[in-house]
Amino acid sequence: MKKVLVTEEINEKGYELLMENNIEIVYGTGIDKETVIREAKDCQGILTRNAKLTAEIMDSCPELKVISMHGVGVDCIDVEAATKRGIQVTNAAQSNQRAVAEYTIGLILMLAKGSVDYNNEFKEGNIEVRKRVGEDVAGKVLGIIGMGNIGTQVAKIACHGLSMRVIGYNRHIDSEEKTEYCILSPDMKKVIETADYLSLHLPGSSQTRHMIGAEQISWMKKTAFLINTGRGEVIDESALIRALQEKQIRGAALDVFEGNLPSRDNPLLSMKNVIVTPHTAAFTIEALQRMAYQAALGIVEVLGKKPISYPVNHLQNTFEDGRQVSHVMEYFRYEFGYK
């Protein structure tokens, strides 16, 4: 019987799929290096949410054949090291797109309407807070950096549902292109300068780290809001804090932070012009079911020597009938426009 370590609790849909395929589940008790190595040492698969899976851990698990991510981003997995060791990496590529898109739209509306301030201050007895006014989003410009699946869904909802004007950054085109729901531009500066609301939907990588820094923030309108439901490392957080403190921009809504969750003394947690949530954009009942199922599916497919639905790394797998199937990063090419 194959054994798989599930490092953290997942929805029952994932457990059920593993058990249906005669896979023994090792229920993880921690995500520190020593615990993962101890619990995964004789496992053929690891399904993880937050454990940092390094080359050292892989070398300590000689039977390891597959690592599956409960979610889309795989920045906690050393994919290059896995590929060199012949370990397939999979994810739950189509699990949370709609949930994150809806959440992003919710943050935009909360910023526009001032609903967080209304809620907090009215509960404290300040009825005068009703004198503050919000704004309509219809006719406002939504700029999107990261026109993958999630960014595209945000654009469609904003355009068709809220009558916003949408402009999205696409670095792989030479001139502006118009779609039914947005204008695509190869000029990131133009997208940032134009936006009343700037929404980030980028993966975490060396290419995107601090893509939005002091210079890029300086391009924003003083009346603009910044929204990030992608990866925290995309923003230079210290530059953003300074910009907010100095009122270079109007405010922000952040579901992600540098280094995952912020420390309690992070200034962003106490700023009245910032909405903060603890990396929960994808946490809906339906999305968590899909995440668990798709993550487990990757394990089942690899250990069963079947074609893989959501591969991350480029790895040659030989099936029982001798066929060779090359799994490349097609999802990430589609989702984020990488070549």
Side-chain angles (χ1 to χ4, degrees):
M1 179 180 286
K2 305 294 186 183
K3 291 176 66 175
V4 169
L5 170 65
V6 180
T7 62
E8 300 126 286
E9 186 177 358
I10 63 173
N11 183 272
E12 62 184 12
K13 297 291 185 184
Y15 295 128
E16 289 171 359
L17 183 61
L18 293 173
M19 290 186 287
E20 286 169 6
N21 285 272
N22 201 33
I23 292 173
E24 179 184 346
I25 300 170
V26 178
Y27 297 90
T29 61
I31 61 172
D32 58 281
K33 179 180 69 175
E34 292 75 16
T35 300
V36 173
I37 288 175
R38 184 180 68 253
E39 295 178 340
K41 63 182 178 181
D42 59 348
C43 289
Q44 290 75 43
I46 298 176
L47 192 160
T48 189
R49 297 178 68 161
N50 296 294
K52 291 190 178 300
L53 298 178
T54 62
E56 181 183 354
I57 290 176
M58 297 173 201
D59 289 338
S60 301
C61 304
E63 295 188 43
L64 190 61
K65 293 179 173 59
V66 56
I67 298 171
S68 192
M69 182 67 195
H70 180 274
V72 178
V74 291
D75 36 310
C76 67
I77 301 170
D78 189 334
V79 177
E80 183 178 356
T83 304
K84 287 179 180 178
R85 289 158 177 78
I87 298 169
Q88 180 68 56
V89 180
T90 71
N91 66 357
Q94 296 181 356
S95 59
N96 63 10
Q97 298 159 357
R98 182 68 186 190
V100 176
E102 289 181 0
Y103 198 91
T104 301
I105 293 296
L107 291 176
I108 291 169
L109 290 173
M110 284 194 286
L111 289 168
K113 307 304 179 183
S115 53
V116 173
D117 280 344
Y118 288 149
N119 176 76
N120 294 344
E121 298 203 25
F122 189 41
K123 282 182 176 180
E124 293 176 1
N126 179 16
I127 197 170
E128 297 301 312
V129 71
R130 68 191 300 268
K131 293 181 179 178
R132 299 182 192 175
V133 294
E135 65 180 29
D136 293 342
V137 296
K140 300 297 192 302
V141 177
L142 171 61
I144 298 177
I145 308 294
M147 286 296 297
N149 200 305
I150 294 174
T152 297
Q153 290 197 44
V154 171
K156 290 179 178 178
I157 297 170
C159 175
H160 298 315
L162 301 175
S163 298
M164 298 185 78
R165 294 182 291 137
V166 183
I167 181 169
Y169 170 61
N170 185 328
R171 67 190 180 94
H172 297 304
I173 58 178
D174 297 321
S175 58
E176 287 191 355
E177 298 178 2
K178 190 170 183 179
T179 74
E180 61 175 319
Y181 52 86
C182 77
I183 293 171
L184 294 173
S185 172
D187 186 346
M188 185 169 71
K189 185 175 183 182
K190 179 177 180 179
V191 173
I192 294 174
E193 288 177 335
T194 305
D196 297 301
Y197 298 83
L198 180 66
S199 190
L200 309 180
H201 301 280
L202 294 164
S205 72
S206 57
Q207 290 178 298
T208 61
R209 179 174 173 78
H210 289 185
M211 181 178 284
I212 305 300
E215 180 181 5
Q216 290 73 28
I217 294 171
S218 73
W219 299 340
M220 295 178 66
K221 299 176 182 178
K222 288 186 179 296
T223 55
F225 291 103
L226 178 64
I227 301 98
N228 189 12
T229 55
R231 282 291 182 267
E233 285 72 21
V234 168
I235 299 176
D236 181 341
E237 203 164 275
S238 60
L240 175 60
I241 290 170
R242 286 194 302 272
L244 289 163
Q245 289 172 335
E246 297 170 5
K247 301 192 185 316
Q248 294 178 31
I249 61 174
R250 192 170 168 188
L254 309 169
D255 185 54
V256 288
F257 305 85
E258 284 200 73
N260 199 9
L261 295 179
S263 61
R264 289 306 306 167
D265 61 352
N266 189 313
L268 293 168
L269 300 185
S270 58
M271 292 181 176
K272 288 196 172 182
N273 59 342
V274 179
I275 297 172
V276 292
T277 57
H279 202 170
T280 51
F283 286 8
T284 66
I285 294 170
E286 297 83 359
L288 288 171
Q289 289 175 341
R290 290 191 295 267
M291 275 188 235
Y293 184 88
Q294 291 178 19
L297 180 63
I299 298 279
V300 168
E301 290 171 338
V302 173
L303 297 185
K305 296 183 179 180
K306 300 174 182 177
I308 303 167
S309 300
Y310 308 114
V312 171
N313 55 342
H314 183 177
L315 194 66
Q316 292 283 343
N317 280 348
T318 304
F319 298 137
E320 290 180 350
D321 63 2
R323 289 180 298 120
Q324 293 283 328
V325 177
S326 178
H327 297 298
V328 295
M329 297 180 69
E330 291 299 334
Y331 168 71
F332 280 91
R333 288 179 179 177
Y334 172 72
E335 175 70 7
F336 303 117
Y338 284 179
K339 290 186 176 179

